[in-house]
Amino acid sequence: MKLLHSGKVRDIYLDDSRDPADLLLVASDRISVYDVVLPTPVPDKGAILTSLSLWWFDRLADLVPHHVVSATDVPAEFAGRAIRCRHLDMLPVECIARGYLTGLGLKEYQKQGTVSGVELPDGLVEGSKLPEPIFTPTTKAPVGEHDEFMTFDEVVAAVGADTATRLRELTLDVYRRGAETAAANGIIVADTKLEFGRDPGGEIVLADEVLTPDSSRFWPADQWEPGRPQFSFDKQFVRDWSATLDWDRTAPGPEVPDEIVAATRSRYVEVYEKITGSRWGS
Ligand code: ATP
Ligand code: MG
């Protein structure tokens, strides 16, 4: 198998022993803060993210076809943290849905009152719930560059009007389903990023990972309070701990102490168990 790409967290292999060739998306236990991969892995993180994605793909299949071929037909060394998937022609748009205002969306709103060209009412603050979920696509920047917001017209220019409309509709459908499902279990999905590709027949297919703590902001609903940064379910412990260090946030990152690793792992397990309603490892 050929290693095509090694991201901060995942490694992508091409399996051209199959016809058509498949991709293997392999999630590692690596963790990054401020875009720097730390030298200490978080045990089970890759497997948790992989299981959660699979759980969602299954529950979204009536809304949108997905890229999963198999979660079990993978090399033994990757078992549990790899997904064999169809090799799609990816659409050059990061499809983001936001139900709450935070992160870069908040920055853009504070500057100009819009996000990706979508007008928002006055008076919103960090963590505010939006009147309705919005589609705030960005470019897929090459490594080392930053993703930029795209207006809907820019998406139309990139992929055509029909595809742009379909991407917006699918992204908001998936967000609404995800947010509703998670809300029933005490979790707010503040925002999420989806990626879509086309299969050889031209059909739009949901790809990459879906509704994981790496692609979404999950907040505990009982602690939500607009006007301040919210507690994040994934990296909060690592971020808080790293903020106490004399570290300039460039590589190499610091070794993470055992208790921070353990606390971080528990948050990943907790979010998995809350969303799916199953015990991790059962
Ligand atoms: P990082 O997440 O570290 O910022 P990244 O997004 O490039 O970087 P990964 O998320 O690890 O790294 O890589 C996944 C890559 O695989 C993305 O470029 C995504 O577009 C691509 N991809 C996901 N699913 C498919 C698919 N079914 N067919 C083709 N490409 C896919
Ligand atoms: Mg990615």
Side-chain angles (χ1 to χ4, degrees):
M1 265 188 283
K2 237 185 282 168
L3 179 64
L4 285 188
H5 173 83
S6 196
K8 285 187 289 292
V9 173
R10 289 179 302 159
D11 301 316
I12 318 300
Y13 294 86
L14 182 75
D15 183 357
D16 50 16
S17 70
R18 306 290 165 95
D19 187 23
D22 290 331
L23 284 188
L24 278 145
L25 296 187
V26 185
S28 71
D29 291 342
R30 297 191 288 269
I31 190 163
S32 66
V33 268
Y34 310 113
D35 284 340
V36 175
V37 177
L38 301 178
T40 324
V42 174
D44 294 332
K45 177 175 175 278
I48 294 170
L49 294 183
T50 298
S51 300
L52 190 56
S53 261
L54 289 166
W55 188 87
W56 281 116
F57 277 124
D58 212 33
R59 273 152 192 86
L60 298 165
D62 61 310
L63 292 177
V64 57
H66 61 68
H67 69 163
V68 178
V69 173
S70 170
T72 49
D73 181 10
V74 301
E77 65 190 294
F78 301 146
R81 56 193 184 88
I83 299 180
R84 174 180 293 278
C85 55
R86 291 196 272 161
H87 191 182
L88 302 170
D89 187 11
M90 297 302 285
L91 291 160
V93 181
E94 304 253 7
C95 292
I96 298 170
R98 294 171 193 272
Y100 292 75
L101 198 58
T102 186
L104 290 178
L106 175 67
K107 283 216 178 97
E108 185 86 352
Y109 168 78
Q110 286 168 336
K111 219 165 51 188
Q112 58 197 53
T114 61
V115 186
S116 294
V118 181
E119 299 254 359
L120 293 174
D122 288 341
L124 300 175
V125 295
E126 165 86 70
S128 285
K129 182 170 193 198
L130 300 175
E132 59 185 348
I134 56 173
F135 178 56
T136 61
T138 69
T139 56
K140 272 176 72 130
V143 182
E145 287 170 43
H146 291 295
D147 296 346
E148 308 262 0
F149 284 118
M150 294 172 90
T151 63
F152 188 70
D153 288 344
E154 287 168 336
V155 181
V156 169
V159 299
D162 291 350
T163 301
T165 303
R166 189 78 187 120
L167 289 178
R168 178 169 62 189
E169 189 174 75
L170 288 172
T171 301
L172 292 173
D173 283 350
V174 167
Y175 174 80
R176 279 189 284 259
R177 172 78 58 85
E180 202 177 290
T181 308
N185 299 315
I187 290 176
I188 290 173
V189 182
D191 51 38
T192 196
K193 185 211 71 173
L194 306 173
E195 292 191 36
F196 297 90
R198 268 186 213 288
D199 70 10
E203 190 170 22
I204 296 178
V205 177
L206 182 59
D208 211 50
E209 60 182 335
V210 60
L211 290 158
T212 69
D214 278 8
S215 65
S216 322
R217 286 192 177 90
F218 293 137
W219 298 337
D222 59 0
Q223 291 172 46
W224 173 58
E225 193 190 307
R228 59 154 172 83
Q230 310 301 309
F231 182 90
S232 107
F233 245 114
D234 52 338
K235 297 179 189 167
Q236 193 75 36
F237 286 103
V238 191
R239 281 206 203 99
D240 290 352
W241 161 78
S242 73
T244 67
L245 306 175
D246 180 19
W247 171 45
D248 63 1
R249 297 183 183 174
T250 61
E255 288 280 351
V256 189
D258 291 350
E259 65 276 14
I260 302 296
V261 171
T264 301
R265 180 183 177 281
S266 328
R267 296 316 288 214
Y268 279 92
V269 169
E270 187 183 349
V271 85
Y272 172 89
E273 293 186 341
K274 278 216 159 108
I275 290 177
T276 65
S278 329
R279 287 297 298 246
W280 171 246
S282 65

